[in-house]
Amino acid sequence: MGPSSTSNAGTGKPPPPPRTELDGFLAGAGHKVRSSDLHHVAQRLERLESAMVSSPSHVVSDLTSDTVHYNPADLVSWVDSLLSELTHSYHHPNNSSAPTSSTSSSSRSLPVDLDDLFAIPSAANNWLQPEMPLSQPPQLTVFTTMEEDSGIRLVHALMTCAELVQRGDLHLAGTLVDEMTALLTRINTGCGIGKVAGYFIDALSRRVSGAGSAPASPHETEILYHHFYEASPYLKFAHFTANQAILEAFEGHDCVHVIDFSLMHGLQWPALIQALALRPGGPPILRLTGIGPPSPDGRDTLREIGHRLAELARSVNVRFAFRGVAASGLEDVKPWMLQVSPNEAVAVNSIMQMHKLLGPDPSPIEPVLSWIRGLNPRIVTLVEQEVNHNQTGFLDRFTEALYYYSTVFDSLEAACPVQPDKALADMYLQREICNIVCCEGAARIERHETLAQWRDRLNRSGFRPLPLGSNAFKQASMLLTLFSAEGYSVEENEGCLTLGWHSRPLIAASAWQASPLSAAIAGGDN
Amino acid sequence: MAGSNEVNINESKRVVPLNTWVLISNFKLAYNLLRRSDGTFNRDLAEYLDRKVPANTIPADGVLSFDHVDRATGLLNRVYLRTTEGQPAWGFEELEKPLSTTEAVPVIVFFHGGSFTHSSANSAIYDTLCRRLVKTCGAAVVSVNYRRSPEHRYPCAYEDGWTALKWVKSRTWLRSGTPNDSKVHVYLAGDSSGGNICHHVAVRAAEAGVEVLGNILLQPMFGGQERTESEKRLDGKYFVTVRDRDWYWRAYLPEGEDRDHPACNPFGPRGCSLEGLIRFPKSLVVVPGLDLVQDWQLAYVEGLRKSGHDVKLLYLKEATIGFYFLPNNDHFYILMEEIKCFVNPNLNCQKR
């Protein structure tokens, strides 16, 4: 280390780089501010207060009703953006309802027609710098606070069995499976802990006996997905949030191309097509490339779905072209198959697919992230389960899954979905559980990782975050009120949105863009 | 008011550390944005801006937490337990056993502040505070996510507090003490509106014969129609204004009511003496010397005394509101020590 003196009289030495540590106490309160920035933030807060006091009251109330806020964890940016909103509106009082180039605000306010929800412009240039993620301890959570005796004993037995499996003592584990199966007969397996335990016991049984899990056919998977979509708000939230971000990213572009990493039944796209049809200035030319598994029986399911979407697009006067790319897995997709042309704005959309690429070495995730970056997309929308099911230790993984799926099933029960949606939605989840518990190596594809882990990975792979703002948050919250079940909660997490059950986030949506190459070289070396 | 801004800012900056000033000023300005002059509240933006943290059953610094939702009421409680070395990360087994079979372990039912309107049990600032309480006091803490105004006015918060108290009292795994003497050793604690809730829940408990061992009112939210000297003197000087206090009371109290409603002014013209309410617990009331509602807080202390109840006043002359959020000042440590002694009567604490 060099000399610590900061005097540079006559030496020509540059001063040492600023301390980039975050203020620990504020970080604990959820606000990321560098210690060296405290004075700056304080000054800006003072100015903001003065501006609020001296502005006419309608201007200040616009700050809440119309302005889109981004990432309140980054206090500096949040205060600065409010300040610029206020001073701009104050100096251009006649312009208060017109969008500006730097920070635009919507002149619409809720409640609005559902159709209008997508057509709200955003503060398009308010993107933030990537942040230093605080390292989070792994969220190993397993409290199910049921207090019926047999429920507790069952969970205890499950954990013990999992530990035996981790130790390799399959014989003893098998005995325990039998005991647990017997225990199951004494509790209600239609709901609650009994139901979830049943699935985990089944999965353990398969693992111990070596039977493994039967892989679902793509056709079955699609059907189960569709019913899970109907029975709960998770996939709707995913589609809705991603669409909003894509819509905003496509502003000002006349040729746009969406690449969907898993088309399924194309459920996500009618809403986007309709939103694009309604956008001020008219719709762009829309291309959609849908990736999906090859159809076995000579049908071309991808094409059929493409046809249906094309019909819809035609009916709302959106010029539309569809292309299907059949591949068994994302690792088999090559960028040339997507036929991206240089003048179009590209959106890459991945709903619960990316985690499948996290398998053992050579893991395809890096090559795939690399070619995504190579497409120079306007936006990459990523939605993933908010949990770490990719831990190497079996017991850790099992524990995490037990808690996670207990919470998901809890939420489904409260949502009271109709049959057959509910039963098939359960089966959709059961397949995931089975894969996490029974499979290893390349066969284990449900390798969910948390938002914090994805942030880390994407930052390192040359992407930077595009914050989802308060607009998306508000609309997601409204989406939830369409479901009668209270208990779902949308939360803002440093520019990303999560949907969870009570206070446990279960699914996380984020948006990304390729970082400019020079960003890798610039920046402090602290 | 606009002209006196500069003086106000300089004063408050002098008495708190810079990071505290940033934190509380940020709250103040955000809250100003959220309150509407027509009495409604921008709940969506409030939830968006509120920094929340999930529960964490991996012991961090000797504390683990988990959430419990009462299926019948939808009320969420976040439970904080202390852990010891070598304890497994997943302690569901512990839910069957009492906290201790040899000694009394205090269980603090905590009501977060926010003037009945803001914050949640899983707000970062309150999650952190509860964890600190566990560590310092060796207590279990149950933080109640009570329903807030203006969507849910009086008496919802008190109802939820009472429900939470009953739930806590009936948990076998929150009991402690020798087998013959095992019970849940409950204390109520809360800051701002949470302190107000403590009082009213404690009254109800006393009337119902439910034992509460102590009340901890930290910067409690009380008021009245009259404008007191401290309100006039300190208005706008240390983050809080009389105007915003008025807004929150209007949002919480039944429509058309004024601030002499007994929820707001328990010992005022429409309140009543607690004389004779034997089971009402001892109280610790903490008053920051720079809190503009201190005259009401002191009147509360006086009201308790006149009713013959045990109350200790901790007056922190140079403390502003929210001094307890960050452990970067003496008041914080004095407070923690006081609370520790209050809930652990067997400790040999220095009498002040």
Side-chain angles (χ1 to χ4, degrees):
Chain A
M1 259 205 268
S4 56
S5 162
T6 57
S7 160
N8 48 9
T11 63
K13 251 177 137 46
R19 288 165 58 86
T20 53
E21 284 107 60
L22 299 179
D23 181 283
F25 290 145
L26 286 178
H31 294 286
K32 297 187 162 175
V33 184
R34 291 195 261 257
S35 304
S36 50
D37 281 340
L38 275 177
H39 280 283
H40 169 80
V41 175
Q43 258 177 12
R44 306 295 272 179
L45 281 167
E46 284 172 340
R47 258 198 254 169
L48 180 57
E49 173 160 27
S50 301
M52 278 169 68
V53 164
S54 52
S55 294
S57 57
H58 76 271
V59 169
V60 178
S61 71
D62 283 351
L63 270 188
T64 48
S65 57
D66 293 347
T67 305
V68 184
H69 299 250
Y70 292 94
N71 195 358
D74 184 343
L75 198 49
V76 179
S77 297
W78 183 72
V79 176
D80 278 350
S81 71
L82 283 182
L83 206 43
S84 72
E85 276 284 339
L86 253 187
T87 50
H88 174 85
S89 306
Y90 187 56
H91 287 123
H92 298 85
N94 298 326
N95 229 7
S96 56
S97 59
T100 68
S101 56
S102 59
T103 49
S104 63
S105 28
S106 162
S107 55
R108 301 177 203 234
S109 53
L110 293 170
V112 295
D113 290 338
L114 217 53
D115 283 343
D116 282 347
L117 277 179
F118 290 117
I120 301 177
S122 74
N125 297 328
N126 200 9
W127 308 128
L128 301 169
Q129 296 305 309
E131 314 190 308
M132 294 188 307
L134 282 183
S135 63
Q136 295 268 26
Q139 292 290 307
L140 196 76
T141 55
V142 77
F143 266 111
T144 45
T145 60
M146 18 93 253
E147 290 152 80
E148 316 93 43
D149 218 23
S150 37
I152 297 178
R153 274 193 280 143
L154 204 43
V155 175
H156 192 173
L158 276 168
M159 304 304 299
T160 309
C161 188
E163 196 172 0
L164 289 169
V165 168
Q166 172 160 286
R167 284 215 306 254
D169 197 338
L170 297 184
H171 177 70
L172 209 48
T175 317
L176 204 43
V177 166
D178 294 334
E179 284 180 25
M180 289 192 288
T181 310
L183 253 182
L184 261 187
T185 59
R186 284 189 261 146
I187 69 178
N188 183 358
T189 54
C191 64
I193 186 65
K195 179 156 133 182
V196 179
Y199 293 141
F200 278 87
I201 292 169
D202 175 71
L204 278 171
S205 161
R206 288 169 182 275
R207 186 178 179 112
V208 162
S209 68
S213 73
S217 75
H219 181 64
E220 280 171 7
T221 306
E222 276 169 29
I223 292 182
L224 294 181
Y225 182 92
H226 199 137
H227 288 278
F228 182 66
Y229 175 90
E230 294 294 344
S232 63
Y234 299 110
L235 292 177
K236 292 180 180 105
F237 164 80
H239 294 173
F240 189 91
T241 307
N243 283 348
Q244 177 66 19
I246 293 171
L247 192 70
E248 290 176 17
F250 279 169
E251 258 170 63
H253 292 274
D254 297 323
C255 294
V256 304
H257 183 178
V258 175
I259 299 168
D260 187 0
F261 273 9
S262 174
L263 188 66
M264 292 287 182
H265 291 163
L267 294 169
Q268 182 171 351
W269 306 118
L272 183 69
I273 293 171
Q274 286 167 331
L276 285 171
L278 288 175
R279 82 172 186 180
I285 301 171
L286 170 66
R287 282 180 63 202
L288 174 65
T289 300
I291 300 172
S295 323
D297 47 1
R299 285 173 63 189
D300 190 344
T301 351
L302 289 175
R303 198 130 174 261
E304 284 170 23
I305 296 165
H307 269 309
R308 285 207 299 268
L309 290 172
E311 296 247 339
L312 169 66
R314 190 170 24 251
S315 74
V316 292
N317 294 320
V318 175
R319 284 155 70 195
F320 177 81
F322 175 83
R323 187 185 163 75
V325 172
S328 332
L330 279 174
E331 59 272 19
D332 297 333
V333 174
K334 304 283 175 279
W336 57 261
M337 297 174 188
L338 308 171
Q339 298 197 343
V340 170
S341 46
N343 67 331
E344 57 189 16
V346 174
V348 174
N349 182 74
S350 169
I351 310 288
M352 300 183 349
Q353 299 304 308
M354 220 62 108
H355 61 258
K356 298 178 185 171
L357 301 172
L358 296 175
D361 285 329
S363 147
I365 185 72
E366 290 303 330
V368 171
L369 285 178
S370 178
W371 67 245
I372 293 175
R373 196 172 181 286
L375 297 177
N376 194 23
R378 278 291 300 164
I379 187 168
V380 179
T381 46
L382 179 70
V383 182
E384 285 284 332
Q385 291 90 334
E386 176 58 3
V387 62
N388 185 356
H389 285 149
N390 199 20
Q391 300 168 76
T392 37
F394 179 74
L395 181 56
D396 287 345
R397 211 162 71 229
F398 186 87
T399 306
E400 192 80 68
L402 184 57
Y403 185 62
Y404 181 79
Y405 287 102
S406 296
T407 313
V408 179
F409 277 109
D410 245 6
S411 77
L412 275 169
E413 256 157 63
C416 291
V418 297
Q419 301 292 7
D421 287 337
K422 186 163 193 294
L424 293 172
D426 285 356
M427 215 182 287
Y428 174 84
L429 294 168
Q430 185 191 13
R431 302 251 169 163
E432 283 187 6
I433 292 171
C434 223
N435 187 270
I436 294 167
V437 172
C438 297
C439 301
E440 290 296 347
R444 179 153 59 89
I445 56 167
E446 298 298 343
R447 293 176 179 265
H448 313 143
E449 286 192 349
T450 63
L451 183 55
Q453 289 171 287
W454 284 110
R455 272 203 188 105
D456 212 34
R457 195 181 285 283
L458 287 167
N459 280 325
R460 277 185 286 116
S461 303
F463 292 89
R464 65 179 178 190
L466 288 181
L468 304 167
S470 55
N471 215 10
F473 178 89
K474 202 159 44 171
Q475 293 173 1
S477 303
M478 263 183 51
L479 168 69
L480 286 186
T481 63
L482 297 177
F483 281 82
S484 49
E486 283 222 4
Y488 288 104
S489 56
V490 181
E491 282 180 17
E492 192 283 338
N493 182 330
E494 294 180 53
C496 306
L497 294 186
T498 61
L499 173 61
W501 179 243
H502 290 291
S503 55
R504 165 78 206 248
L506 294 170
I507 186 172
S510 58
W512 303 84
Q513 200 177 45
S515 321
L517 280 170
S518 55
I521 306 159
D525 50 354
N526 303 297
Chain B
M1 188 123 54
S4 60
N5 251 346
E6 267 183 48
V7 176
N8 298 340
I9 287 169
N10 287 338
E11 277 189 57
S12 61
K13 251 183 162 176
R14 267 209 306 269
V15 298
V16 295
L18 188 57
N19 47 12
T20 301
W21 191 90
V22 165
L23 181 68
I24 302 185
S25 299
N26 175 59
F27 280 135
K28 177 178 87 176
L29 292 180
Y31 291 0
N32 287 349
L33 289 180
L34 298 170
R35 296 189 302 271
R36 297 199 193 99
S37 51
D38 64 356
T40 59
F41 184 72
N42 193 334
R43 181 61 66 189
D44 277 331
L45 186 58
E47 291 305 293
Y48 177 80
L49 295 176
D50 189 24
R51 308 289 81 211
K52 297 188 202 279
V53 297
N56 188 354
T57 58
I58 299 182
D61 200 23
V63 183
L64 63 78
S65 62
F66 63 91
D67 290 333
H68 176 272
V69 182
D70 185 334
R71 277 168 202 272
T73 60
L75 192 64
L76 183 142
N77 294 328
R78 179 165 287 185
V79 180
Y80 301 82
L81 301 175
R82 61 179 179 173
T83 57
T84 48
E85 284 303 311
Q87 205 164 356
W90 35 278
F92 61 87
E93 201 184 335
E94 270 56 47
L95 283 186
E96 300 175 276
K97 302 193 270 204
L99 294 172
S100 166
T101 48
T102 52
E103 52 170 13
V105 177
V107 177
I108 301 175
V109 178
F110 180 78
F111 300 99
H112 67 81
S115 308
F116 293 105
T117 302
H118 298 279
S119 296
S120 307
N122 60 343
S123 294
I125 45 167
Y126 286 112
D127 185 83
T128 305
L129 180 60
C130 288
R131 300 181 76 96
R132 290 191 178 125
L133 283 174
V134 172
K135 271 230 89 178
T136 315
C137 305
V141 174
V142 179
S143 185
V144 182
N145 207 35
Y146 59 90
R147 285 168 294 165
R148 299 162 301 185
S149 54
E151 297 93 333
H152 300 106
R153 293 172 177 269
Y154 165 93
C156 292
Y158 303 155
E159 295 285 342
D160 292 350
W162 174 237
T163 304
L165 175 60
K166 285 189 293 184
W167 183 81
V168 165
K169 290 289 278 188
S170 59
R171 297 306 102 188
T172 52
W173 47 272
L174 285 176
R175 289 194 183 153
S176 58
T178 54
N180 284 341
D181 207 14
S182 187
K183 65 177 184 184
V184 184
H185 292 77
V186 165
Y187 293 83
L188 302 181
D191 69 316
S192 168
S193 49
N196 177 295
I197 296 172
C198 283
H199 167 79
H200 291 285
V201 172
V203 169
R204 188 159 178 185
E207 286 168 348
V210 172
E211 184 191 45
V212 172
L213 295 171
N215 260 11
I216 299 159
L217 274 63
L218 173 53
Q219 183 194 292
M221 187 171 160
F222 292 115
Q225 274 304 106
E226 184 196 333
R227 297 301 189 196
T228 60
E229 185 271 341
S230 66
E231 283 166 304
K232 292 185 224 170
R233 174 170 49 94
L234 295 170
D235 188 6
K237 294 216 162 77
Y238 298 98
F239 309 111
V240 185
T241 64
V242 169
R243 200 147 167 247
D244 70 60
R245 295 296 96 203
D246 286 353
W247 190 98
Y248 292 115
W249 284 119
R250 267 199 308 276
Y252 177 65
L253 296 170
E255 310 216 24
E257 282 285 358
D258 70 18
R259 291 184 303 276
D260 280 335
H261 187 283
C264 174
N265 196 355
F267 294 119
R270 293 162 57 191
C272 57
S273 156
L274 295 186
E275 204 171 329
L277 191 59
I278 318 167
R279 300 190 81 121
F280 191 82
K282 63 173 183 175
S283 301
L284 170 66
V285 181
V286 183
V287 178
L290 299 176
D291 185 345
L292 61 80
V293 300
Q294 62 187 268
D295 283 352
W296 292 112
Q297 293 159 350
L298 295 169
Y300 173 78
V301 171
E302 202 40 46
L304 284 183
R305 284 202 181 122
K306 283 214 190 93
S307 307
H309 291 290
D310 178 359
V311 52
K312 175 167 184 186
L313 167 64
L314 178 64
Y315 187 84
L316 297 167
K317 188 150 170 256
E318 274 144 34
T320 63
I321 55 131
F323 69 88
Y324 44 87
F325 286 136
L326 304 184
N328 57 5
N329 60 86
D330 287 341
H331 313 301
F332 174 89
Y333 292 101
I334 294 171
L335 171 71
M336 284 300 166
E337 203 46 40
E338 283 289 338
I339 297 179
K340 178 170 97 171
C341 293
F342 190 75
V343 304
N344 288 295
N346 298 327
L347 276 183
N348 206 358
C349 290
Q350 231 180 17
K351 289 288 174 197
R352 283 174 180 273

